[in-house]
Amino acid sequence: MKAPGMKVMAHELASTANASAQDALSPYKEALREHFPTREALLQEAKQQTKRQRVLKKVGSGMAMSLALALSWVIDPVWHSENMRTKVGQQASFTLTDGSHVALNTNSALVVEQHLYSRRLYLKQGEALFTAEHGWRPFTVYANQTQIRDIGTIFNVRNTDQGAVVTVVEGSVEVRTPQARRILTRDVSVTTQAGGITESRCSSANIAWQQGRLMFDGHALASVVDELQRYRHGRIQIADRLAAQYRLSGEFDISGIDTLLDTLPDIMPVSITKKDDGTVLISHR
């Protein structure tokens, strides 16, 4: 039978040996801690990483939104488009989705595009009177290499073979071509041709079509015929150079083109010949 004192001594010896072993392993434990973080350190690192990811996600979302907004300004997508047209001799008025008004003259074609940040109207042919509704989106009309930007106004645009004729009724517009730029105010008209802009006094004849009238002030008959042809299906031809040089003044009804042709022999030395296909031939007599 072992004495109690022996057990105590044995326990103390074991504790001493265990302590000595722990002391011997201590350097290795410290080295391991340097290479393998503790549980508390791992948890702290995980929290920091989650926080960084949240910040990066928020920054990334903000940058994506900013980039999308910047691209939308550059691209300026179309959200609504309309095509408007009149036949020869027809006139029509339209109200656009933004509240602006457009009146189309004879044989005209207009494409209206409502963009996210702008309003763009393309006068493919013919003539139109624009009454732009004020708004933060620019209102711009394009006609044969001519750009007309509204600055709060009513203005008339005619698409011609050489360019365009722009007449300001109220307010002002900015007219641009590839080579020139001009600000127009009320009662001013310009003609664009070959990239240039030629200014002239506004003539009431430019917008007389709005009242269903045609006005001529000493115009050569050749010029008068060009204007009448816009409102008539059948051809109007001048047979000789002398007849083309005669001049005409007066105010006439747009709906009475044939009546005007019939009265030409009464006001100038010409004769009228009508053919079966609707053609009218004007000759010197």
Side-chain angles (χ1 to χ4, degrees):
M1 182 175 182
K2 294 181 180 179
M6 293 294 291
K7 291 183 177 181
V8 172
M9 184 178 295
H11 178 71
E12 290 176 351
L13 289 173
S15 298
T16 302
N18 186 46
S20 298
Q22 293 289 337
D23 293 339
L25 292 173
S26 180
Y28 299 101
K29 291 170 67 177
E30 293 298 329
L32 288 173
R33 287 194 183 97
E34 293 179 1
H35 292 83
F36 298 95
T38 63
R39 180 174 178 274
E40 291 75 12
L42 289 172
L43 290 174
Q44 183 64 25
E45 177 62 23
K47 290 180 180 179
Q48 292 294 331
Q49 187 172 355
T50 301
K51 185 177 181 180
R52 286 195 296 269
Q53 289 176 346
R54 288 175 179 172
V55 172
L56 288 174
K57 185 176 181 180
K58 184 180 293 186
V59 172
S61 298
M63 291 180 64
M65 290 180 64
S66 299
L67 180 59
L69 183 61
L71 286 175
S72 69
W73 272 100
V74 174
I75 299 173
D76 194 13
V78 179
W79 62 268
H80 183 74
S81 180
E82 298 176 83
N83 289 277
M84 302 170 181
R85 180 178 290 274
T86 55
K87 300 177 181 179
V88 173
Q90 179 189 15
Q91 296 174 343
S93 296
F94 304 89
T95 299
L96 309 185
T97 57
D98 66 347
S100 299
H101 297 277
V102 175
L104 289 186
N105 200 359
T106 176
N107 195 25
S108 299
L110 178 72
V111 177
V112 179
E113 292 183 354
Q114 300 287 353
H115 289 248
L116 190 60
Y117 300 110
S118 63
R119 297 168 290 176
R120 306 178 191 179
L121 300 90
Y122 300 88
L123 186 61
K124 301 296 186 178
Q125 68 181 50
E127 186 172 19
L129 181 75
F130 300 92
T131 304
E133 184 71 15
H134 296 298
W136 61 272
R137 292 182 301 148
F139 186 100
T140 308
V141 177
Y142 300 86
N144 197 358
Q145 300 187 14
T146 304
Q147 176 181 311
I148 307 100
R149 184 174 65 87
D150 168 65
I151 313 178
T153 188
I154 301 174
F155 59 100
N156 192 83
V157 180
R158 179 171 173 177
N159 189 324
T160 67
D161 293 337
Q162 296 77 30
V165 178
V166 182
T167 303
V168 179
V169 180
E170 291 183 10
S172 59
V173 299
E174 178 190 59
V175 177
R176 286 179 178 268
T177 67
Q179 287 82 37
R181 172 183 174 274
R182 189 76 57 85
I183 298 293
L184 309 184
T185 56
R186 181 176 179 175
D187 295 335
V188 174
S189 180
V190 297
T191 300
T192 65
Q193 184 176 358
I197 300 176
T198 303
E199 185 175 321
S200 62
R201 182 179 60 84
C202 177
S203 171
S204 55
N206 291 353
I207 55 174
W209 66 271
Q210 277 288 294
Q211 286 74 47
R213 310 294 291 172
L214 293 175
M215 297 177 63
F216 303 107
D217 185 13
H219 288 65
L221 187 57
S223 175
V224 172
V225 166
D226 287 341
E227 185 67 17
L228 299 181
Q229 189 66 76
R230 298 175 62 207
Y231 300 89
R232 191 177 190 274
H233 284 285
R235 295 293 300 165
I236 308 173
Q237 297 178 335
I238 300 180
D240 53 85
R241 184 178 299 177
L242 185 58
Q245 295 175 351
Y246 292 141
R247 296 190 173 274
L248 179 68
S249 297
E251 185 174 331
F252 307 92
D253 191 344
I254 283 179
S255 62
I257 301 298
D258 284 309
T259 300
L260 171 58
L261 291 173
D262 291 338
T263 59
L264 283 180
D266 298 332
I267 55 181
M268 59 180 60
V270 297
S271 61
I272 300 295
T273 302
K274 294 186 177 181
K275 299 182 179 181
D276 293 339
D277 63 357
T279 299
V280 172
L281 185 64
I282 306 174
S283 305
H284 166 69
R285 72 166 190 268

